[in-house]
Amino acid sequence: MSESYTLYNETVMDHFINPRNMGDIKDADAIGEVGAAACGDIMKISLKIDEHTGTVTDARFKTFGCGSAIAASSMATELIKGRSIEELEKNFSNDNIVEALGGLPPVKIHCSVLAHEALSAALEDYKKKKTNEKELEKEKNSKENELKELEKQKEKCTSGNQIANYGNEIAKLQTQITDLNAVLKECKN
């Protein structure tokens, strides 16, 4: 490459030629993918998030696009590690990416916007998963409480038919709880 090429600064070129955090995260907690092949750039960001602190512990990307798109994705993953979801949602924008890169040509600013949109999509994915997980947990707890009540009622029964009916209902609930536990386990993986 020519030493006199000046469209991109040294930082942008470094993140393009030596991208950080490229690839996928196995068992990612969140994935955001934006862009369209017809337009040119496609970005995918994978996140690992500490569920207790809500902090991004790892971030990786895959980008199909120009040097600015790759550099913006690389820098975005560097900037978001160690930051909380809340902080990223409130205080992180494409301007942070552009600033950290030392600027982008005006016609390439959309690359930083796309990187930010990929992050936003990943954070939305994480929130959806957590909401589904909470709803499943709530449903499981409700079924467990219902099971305890049926077991108490079954103990008070004297009729063989009633005991059999309670036994059938208890077996159904136990199956439902087992199924919910399997889905919850899958959600957490």
Side-chain angles (χ1 to χ4, degrees), residues 22 126 129 132 136 165 174-175 177 183:
M22 194 166 23
Y126 182 74
K129 287 177 181 175
N132 289 343
L136 288 169
N165 287 339
Q174 287 171 330
T175 300
I177 291 168
V183 171

Side-chain angles (χ1 to χ4, degrees), residues 27 39 48 65 98 100 139 180:
D27 300 326
C39 306
K48 200 72 175 161
V98 173
E139 183 179 350
L180 284 167

